[in-house]
Amino acid sequence: MKHKLWAAAALSLGMASAFAQVGQVDVSGAWARGTVPGQSATGIFMTLQAHRATTLVGVSTPAAANAEVHEMKLEGTLMKMRALPNGLPLPANQPVQLKPGSYHIMLNDLKAPLKKGDSVPVTLRFEAADHKTFEQQVQVPVRDLTAGAPTGGGMAGMAGTAHGAHSQ
């Protein structure tokens, strides 16, 4: 009887530990912008809310050779995009939006066009404040090419461009 109790306790502790490693970040509203044939890059957008201070440190997908966490921001009259080499901080219990013209996930060297109705498997890699890392899998639906396009340029002007400065 003692062994069964110890086994049950160990199993429940193991489950609690496994649960702590999954679902530490809520992902909502995820979508990818569709592409046209020959287009090599696109963006993925979503809202992330961490239960504790965490950083989105990386992303991968079989749909593209390269996926990075990026930031777009207006500097003077130029819209500039850059990878975030240290990741995107997610404060505890505060939603962080990845949206057109702001933070986003950039997919470069797409292996095939993404069309409305497709779904893109994405692995998000996080690092908690205690330096423990974990991953979450997300299925990201693809929307129309013009979905979420900001007015006056931004991501809509990226059809054949991986990144760089874009005039606004």
Side-chain angles (χ1 to χ4, degrees):
M1 181 72 170
K2 265 187 173 178
H3 293 315
K4 286 183 181 179
L5 286 173
W6 279 107
L11 180 61
S12 67
L13 285 173
M15 284 182 175
S17 174
F19 182 76
Q21 294 301 311
V22 177
Q24 295 176 350
V25 177
D26 295 331
V27 178
S28 61
W31 62 281
R33 179 169 289 126
T35 63
V36 296
Q39 183 176 337
S40 64
T42 195
I44 292 181
F45 314 96
M46 63 189 67
T47 299
L48 301 172
Q49 185 165 334
H51 298 256
R52 59 186 178 140
T54 302
T55 301
L56 174 61
V57 293
V59 62
S60 61
T61 177
N66 185 7
E68 298 176 321
V69 181
H70 273 214
E71 173 186 38
M72 281 186 81
K73 67 180 179 179
L74 189 61
E75 291 184 7
T77 59
L78 291 179
M79 182 63 82
K80 293 192 175 183
M81 182 171 33
R82 66 180 180 94
L84 297 175
N86 298 320
L88 176 62
L90 306 173
N93 301 310
Q94 293 181 21
V96 175
Q97 284 192 310
L98 282 67
K99 60 185 180 181
S102 183
Y103 298 118
H104 60 280
I105 294 169
M106 190 74 206
L107 303 184
N108 291 309
D109 300 322
L110 292 169
K111 295 179 181 177
L114 303 181
K115 60 186 180 310
K116 182 179 178 179
D118 288 349
S119 182
V120 179
V122 174
T123 301
L124 303 173
R125 284 188 307 281
F126 299 97
E127 183 175 317
D130 62 4
H131 302 292
K132 291 187 179 178
T133 60
F134 60 98
E135 294 183 343
Q136 283 184 226
Q137 308 288 317
V138 181
Q139 286 295 324
V140 179
V142 177
R143 291 187 184 171
D144 188 80
L145 174 64
T146 60
T151 57
M155 292 284 290
M158 293 177 28
T161 308
H163 58 79
H166 301 283
S167 60
Q168 181 103 341

